[in-house]
Each structure stands twice: as structure tokens, then as C-alpha cells.
Amino acid sequence: MKTESEKKELLSKIDSCLEKLVNDDRSKKDMEIFRKLYEQFLSEPAQIDWKSWTLPAEDRYIDSSKLGKISIAESQELLKKLAVIRLNGGLGTTMGCEGPKSLINVKNGKTFLEIAIDQIENVNKCFESKVPLLLMDSYKTFDETSKALNLFAHDKMVTVEQFLQSKCPRIYADTLLPVPESADSDLEGFYPPGHGNIFETLAETSLAEKLLSQGIEVIFVSNIDNTCATIDPKFIKALLNDNHEYIMEVTDKTAQDIKGGSLIEINGRMMHLEMPQVPPEGIDEFCSTKTFKIFNTNNIWINLKAIKDKLYDIKREIIANKKKLSNGREIIQLETSIGGAIRNFPNACALKVPRSRFLPVKRTQDLLLLASDAFEMDRNGIVKLVESRTTAPIIHLSGAYDSWPEFQKRVPHIPSLKDVETLTIKGDVIFGKDVILKGKVHLEPEGKASLSIDEGVMIENNNISS
């Protein structure tokens, strides 16, 4: 946080720089959005006062298991008011992906995008509804996603539409001034400012106005890689019946979720708390499950009709994401999350849901789990644990598997994991066809050697048999 004099000087400089980054109406709006982010970044402390918060009261939570059943006719009426938005701006850089993450083949030969379309098509068939699928793309994903849609979406019973989120300038970490010098500068100088940007994007693309004119009042937003974020008409009813502007799905926190965002209350308002906002003295408590028992799944239900006049005025916590350019110079991306918007809505609440609604793919070990026979996917795209399991296997892969290309080299054939408790791989292990793993499996070749698991081998609790 800067002093008033420092802030005034930087804002004057940034205004001069941003003028050079405008070459059309859209870029002008994007720079206005970035200018608000920048001023907030200079004005607000990056971390909260650890003594200032309390946990939200129980009446701010809804237990999804206690929502009453609804009829097919009522579901049909509710679905008329719904549009699904999948966040599709990411390249999956944590997995070494060059193209959109949504176009990776993940289950039964289908991509995340195809699964999302199949799921909504199934809903539309079952309820004779016309729920549309909207994809919030970044400039990094729009074109390739559009090409993919042209190949397989034309024969589906679901309308798919793309819309483009903002493109903002990165800033140098030392000067806090923009990296690009003009609107035509190299794209490395720009970035999509996080999924919290959905609100301004809905306004500046006129999509919010278009949806409302079609009678659509509710949007269900989730990550494209969470294949378990499916439509539930009961959740639409919960949002509308009690006049909630915003509902965040949360689920029980485990040791695997220590960095997941959670909820607190400051001055009577709910707030989404993420790791970057936690001061050093609060890290241990934030990462434990003793105090913070739930975390945000990033499945969000929004009453668009209730917030339509606030889309440009929704504040979210700034996440200063530090990165490096290809030349090694340090930069900052000012991002926001959709979870951070909860602080704007006095009647917002959290919906407690089972873990079965949360299966994101952030790393290759998540991808291995989803692709394996520990999860099944029916012809309607519904993904769930196989009946014999109550919890998913715990998987830890070595750094050799971090990138998608390297993962594919080592795991050309997905082993059977349906009977695995834990799988730990350290070092270079290559899997042949029809490998079966069971129990607690730890694979670690000696030294720098690689270990090849031959076709048809079964490994149970480190005991190899064929």
C-alpha cells in the first residue's frame, strides 16, 4: 500500500501509459477496468489484520443435503432461467500445456469442453429445456476453442457461445508501470486478469443484457476443468427463493486442500480469504482444518437480475501474481477471483455440497486420477467415483511428470487405480498397457535409472506380480 503522494504520482504516470494502449472501444474499456484494479492495488493492504475477522455464523450456510426434492415441472420452469458459464481462459501452464486446457483429452477420449457440452445436452434432453453454455475465454484461448467448437458442437442440443474477457497490461515489479508500450506490443506484455473479471465482461460485452432479455436470471459459473460441477435445479431454487444475490458452493477441507480459499466475516460482511491475503502469523491456522473446515469449490450461483446494475462496481480482493518475462525481468499481474466478489452482497451465502461436486484438474496427478478407472463417466458426461469407492485415491507424482508432454511419454497407458489407496512415484517410471495397481504403492527406481512397468503387471502394496 502506497502513501497518498506516491499513489498520486503513480496514477499520473499510469494514466499517461494507458492512453497509448488504447486502439478501439474494447481496449479503452479494458484499460478503464485495469485502472480501477491498479488504484485498488495501491490503496488497499495486501493482507488482512489477522485479529479483525470471525468465522461466518451457521445461518450463512445452506446444507445441500437438506434441500427438498422438486418436481420435473418445477425443474423445467427453473431451468428456463438458467445459463451455464464455464471459465475457459486458462492454458493449463502448470501442466506445461501450450493450448487451452479445455481441449486436453481427459476421459473416454473426450476433452473437458466436450464433457461440458455433453452434460448440458443431457439436461436439455431430460427436461426438454434450452440451457445455453457460455464460455468465458481469454485472448489466449478464444481462437483455438472456436475451431474446436466448429468440429463437434454443431450437432448438439445445446447452444454454445463464447465471450472474451478483458486483456490487461502486466506491470514491472520495480517501477509498477506497464510492460507494453502500445496496443500492438508483444502479447507477453498482457494477461487476462483472473475469473473475477467476469462481472465487467458480462457488462462490456452486453451479454448480461442479452441474457436478461431472454428471461435468463441465473448464471452458474464454474471452472471448465471441474467435470463434477453439474446443474442442479434445487440450487437455482435456493438462490431465488431466499433472494440471495450470490451463492458459493463449499465443501469439507482436507489435508489435500490446505491452500484452498475459505470464508471469514469482517465488519458483518462475508469475505473470501485466500493464501496471499494471509499474514505470516496466520499461515499455520489458515492451512489447518481445525479452524477453517470448508473451502471454496469455485462453483458459483449468481442472481444476474439482482446484480445487473452493479456489474462495474463489484470489488474483489486484488491478487498480485508475481511472474517473470522471458527475459527474466520480474513483473506483476493484478488479478481478481470470482470468489472475492462475495463481499459485495449482504445476502450472499455458502452452500455446503459433497466432495463429489469438486474434481478440478490443476496438475498431471489430478489428470491421472480423473482418467483412471477410479472414476467412471456415463454417456451423458456425468463423472463420479466408481461404486466400490467412497473416497478418491491419493496420488503424488515426481517432478518428471509435471508437464503434460512428459506425462504422456511416461504414462501412454493409464494404469488401473480403482483399488489404490495411495500412489507415490518418485523418479522416472514408465507404464505399459493394462498395468493394475492396488493398495499402497510406492514406485522409486534406484539412482537416476528409469523403471519400466511391463504390460499386464499387477503391483499390490509394492509386491509386483504378473
Side-chain angles (χ1 to χ4, degrees), residues 75-146:
S75 294
Q76 288 174 323
E77 288 302 309
L78 289 166
L79 290 170
K80 289 178 181 178
K81 300 178 180 180
L82 178 69
V84 172
I85 297 180
R86 289 294 192 135
L87 303 169
N88 189 47
L91 297 178
T93 50
T94 54
M95 296 193 297
C97 298
E98 294 184 2
K101 185 198 287 190
S102 61
L103 302 184
I104 297 174
N105 285 319
V106 289
K107 191 75 177 175
N108 298 355
K110 293 202 169 188
T111 65
F112 288 116
L113 182 55
E114 289 174 288
I115 293 171
I117 292 172
D118 286 349
Q119 289 174 344
I120 298 178
E121 183 183 35
N122 175 52
V123 170
N124 287 342
K125 284 180 179 178
C126 289
F127 293 96
E128 298 179 347
S129 56
K130 296 181 180 179
V131 176
L133 172 62
L134 310 173
L135 302 172
M136 187 172 83
D137 282 293
S138 69
Y139 65 91
K140 296 181 177 182
T141 62
F142 190 95
D143 289 342
E144 286 191 59
T145 300
S146 180

Side-chain angles (χ1 to χ4, degrees), residues 328-354:
R329 189 166 176 183
E330 294 182 345
I331 56 93
I332 296 173
Q333 297 181 175
L334 302 182
E335 302 176 7
T336 62
S337 73
I338 190 172
I342 198 169
R343 75 190 229 191
N344 296 268
F345 308 117
N347 205 30
C349 68
L351 180 68
K352 292 182 177 179
V353 298

Side-chain angles (χ1 to χ4, degrees), residues 21 52 73 94 144 170 299 337 355 357 367 394 425 466:
L21 303 183
S52 67
T94 54
E144 286 191 59
R170 290 169 154 178
N299 300 341
S337 73
R355 185 77 181 204
R357 289 188 59 81
L367 190 64
I394 296 173
I425 301 178
S466 59

